[in-house]
Amino acid sequence: MNFTLQKIVFIIVLLFTAVGIYVLNSLYPVYADDWVYSLFYESSPHRPLSGFLDLYQSQYNHYMLWGGRTVAHTIAQVLLLFDPMIQDILNTIAFVLFIVVMYNISNLFNRKTNGLLL
């Protein structure tokens, strides 16, 4: 594989971005809506979600009683079932993949690796 300077710059920028995003994710606490979505929606007394069956019922309650943003809220509740470190890693991977997709769209016609464009 022929690594050019542009590919090396691309990889370095991507790695620094991933590390920065991971650090920001790990420093950002769970609060407000995040805390609410870690609980079973409309249960009395309020209790934490215990698994995917609870998540399904909680999302059903949320959809019927509050709103239709089921996909976003399901993603949030699934992530909140995991350890915070796993949440941070998954969030970092998703963010970096989003950046790579945006880079590929913006570099659609040139197709040469451009670390500075990234």
Side-chain angles (χ1 to χ4, degrees):
M1 185 179 278
N2 183 12
F3 274 95
T4 63
L5 181 61
Q6 284 295 329
K7 288 181 182 177
I8 292 170
V9 169
F10 182 88
I11 291 169
I12 289 172
V13 168
L14 209 54
L15 286 174
F16 273 112
T17 302
V19 168
I21 293 303
Y22 178 78
V23 168
L24 287 174
N25 279 327
S26 63
L27 293 174
Y28 198 76
V30 174
Y31 75 97
D33 284 351
D34 299 332
W35 181 253
V36 170
Y37 288 122
S38 69
L39 303 173
F40 193 97
Y41 192 80
E42 287 296 314
S43 67
S44 185
H46 294 294
R47 62 181 173 85
L49 292 169
S50 62
F52 286 101
L53 191 58
D54 272 358
L55 188 140
Y56 176 77
Q57 185 62 44
S58 177
Q59 278 305 306
Y60 177 81
N61 293 347
H62 189 274
Y63 181 78
M64 297 307 268
L65 300 171
W66 184 253
R69 293 183 52 210
T70 306
V71 174
H73 295 142
T74 301
I75 291 170
Q77 283 192 313
V78 166
L79 284 175
L80 288 165
L81 288 174
F82 295 114
D83 181 69
M85 184 177 179
I86 302 296
Q87 294 172 21
D88 296 338
I89 290 170
L90 291 174
N91 196 354
T92 300
I93 290 169
F95 191 87
V96 169
L97 287 175
F98 182 63
I99 289 172
V100 169
V101 167
M102 288 191 313
Y103 167 80
N104 285 328
I105 290 170
S106 65
N107 198 25
L108 190 62
F109 297 110
N110 187 5
R111 284 294 179 202
K112 292 181 182 174
T113 304
N114 186 346
L116 296 177
L117 178 62
L118 178 66

